[in-house]
Amino acid sequence: MLTVIEAKKKGMKACIEKIGYEFCKKHADNSTTAYGEDDGVVFCYVGVDDSPAPDFDSETQTWILSENNEFPYSASCNVSMKDGEIVFLECNLPEL
């Protein structure tokens, strides 16, 4: 039986490997992770954007975001806390 933290680590590692470790490392400044636990299953998500950071308007001191605020590359999975089994859900992978 895994703890939530153990399952989260396992799931995040699996998602990063699915996207590509070097790709994730290269774009670490434009990435995010999320997780949640429900009924013995830990959901894990890693999102990566390889485009440049949004423009910054120095006059208004605000970021100028694009209309599309989604991560173009991502992987998500469920990790069973009972046996550690990983089931991938949606994956949008870069062409390597």
Side-chain angles (χ1 to χ4, degrees):
M1 183 88 170
L2 300 175
T3 66
V4 171
I5 298 302
E6 291 169 333
K8 172 191 143 192
K9 287 180 182 180
K10 185 173 182 158
M12 292 297 179
K13 182 178 179 182
C15 287
I16 289 169
E17 289 175 357
K18 187 79 155 172
I19 296 170
Y21 175 79
E22 290 300 323
F23 184 84
C24 289
K25 184 177 171 183
K26 180 178 179 182
H27 303 290
D29 288 344
N30 289 333
S31 65
T32 192
T33 62
Y35 77 99
E37 185 268 332
D38 185 33
D39 198 27
V41 175
V42 175
F43 168 80
C44 298
Y45 172 87
V46 175
V48 181
D49 190 345
D50 64 345
S51 61
D55 292 327
F56 186 74
D57 185 336
S58 57
E59 285 185 32
T60 63
Q61 298 293 302
T62 58
W63 292 103
I64 302 169
L65 300 176
S66 67
E67 291 180 20
N68 180 6
N69 292 324
E70 296 179 9
F71 289 91
Y73 307 107
S74 64
S76 61
C77 69
N78 284 332
V79 181
S80 169
M81 292 174 61
K82 181 178 179 182
D83 59 11
E85 178 184 7
I86 296 172
V87 176
F88 282 100
L89 305 171
E90 291 187 39
C91 297
N92 298 309
L93 307 177
E95 293 182 22
L96 301 177

